Amino acid sequence: MAPKFPDSVEKLRAAGNESFRNGQYAEASALYGRALRVLQAQGSSDPEEESVLFSNRAACHLKDGNCRDCIKDCTSALALVPFSIKPLLRRASAYEALEKYPMAYVDYKTVLQIDNSVTSALEGINRMTRALMDSLGPEWRLKLPSIPLVPVSAQKRWNSLPSENHREMAKSKSRATTATKNRVPSAGDVEKAKVLKEEGNELVKKGNHKKAIEKYSESLLCSNLESATYSNRALCYLVLKQYTEAVKDCTEAIKLDGKNVKAFYRRAQAHKALKDYKSSFADISNLLQIEPRNGPAQKLRQEVKQNLH
């Protein structure tokens, strides 16, 4: 006797999610497909729901190694709701599996325009950069398809999504970051990290701090042993008023080099902006023990001192 399927889109999607969690990807794909047919038969215009169903079915295809159907469903999802992170990441993974590295690079890069801290996209960019350098040579960037410019509205939409989406992404970031930190970089990785760091430095000189963060992040994925890369990225976070991120990067920089004066100074600036004057004063004091005649630090100490009393 054939199993009785739920009859509403919501119940079909929930059943598909349950099957997916249980590793029954073919069954989940069938349930998402049935939900799509019910939704389309109703004739109701709900592009977000339809996009999610295509994206979920794409995840099933990806798990089953059916990359072409994954790409097709992700493209359908993105046609309904452009610049959605999950279908972009799934399509990038499928392109990568098919060795269509330029297309994968574009999708990973698009994700980073929406949220430049998605570790799976940063790692994907790192892998694609290596593959493209190997296959297309030093001029590989000139041979890429055009990368779409993500409108501010799409970034705002991502920031306003329910918190569970961000929690799920944060878990993924945390797992990937731990794996990266535990990996010992090869000599080639260290060299690539230096090149990417220099590219970041050039972007800072041009005032493009957001793009510079991407370069420094790519560099740190190749090798996370360079103190200056963390303190350089911290500078970008300071300029963009992302003070908590600046504090974190300066702390990592100081762990690697306890005499990194720039890291102490930038962390002091970030603490001051966060109104944590005690921590700011402590950082300036540590800095002045290393460089007693550092003028900017002496000036910052006076400013912080006024807020301590």
Side-chain angles (χ1 to χ4, degrees), residues 1-8 11-12 15 27 31 34:
M1 187 174 173
K4 189 179 187 311
F5 286 112
D7 53 4
S8 74
K11 287 178 181 176
L12 283 162
E27 184 179 298
L31 286 160
R34 189 175 179 86

Side-chain angles (χ1 to χ4, degrees), residues 7 72 93 110 113 117 146 154 208 259 271 273 281:
D7 53 4
K72 187 178 174 183
S93 295
T110 304
Q113 288 186 67
S117 65
S146 60
N208 195 339
K259 293 187 177 181
H271 280 313
F281 191 82

Side-chain angles (χ1 to χ4, degrees), residues 81-114:
V81 182
F83 305 113
S84 298
I85 284 185
K86 286 184 179 179
L88 279 167
L89 284 173
R90 286 163 186 164
R91 190 170 68 178
S93 295
Y95 278 136
E96 184 176 351
L98 293 172
E99 298 185 5
K100 295 185 176 183
Y101 300 135
M103 302 299 289
Y105 182 94
V106 168
D107 278 349
Y108 284 132
K109 200 74 173 174
T110 304
V111 169
L112 292 174
Q113 288 186 67
I114 303 163

Side-chain angles (χ1 to χ4, degrees), residues 4-21 27-28 30-36 38-39 42 49 53 56:
K4 189 179 187 311
F5 286 112
D7 53 4
S8 74
V9 171
E10 189 176 26
K11 287 178 181 176
L12 283 162
R13 176 157 58 86
N17 293 347
E18 184 64 27
S19 293
F20 188 90
R21 280 192 293 271
E27 184 179 298
L31 286 160
Y32 294 136
R34 189 175 179 86
L36 278 165
V38 170
L39 187 66
Q42 289 172 353
E49 176 68 32
L53 289 168
N56 287 3

Side-chain angles (χ1 to χ4, degrees), residues 37 61-62 73 78 125 138 193 221:
R37 289 192 294 277
H61 293 320
L62 192 60
D73 273 357
L78 291 162
I125 282 286
L221 284 168

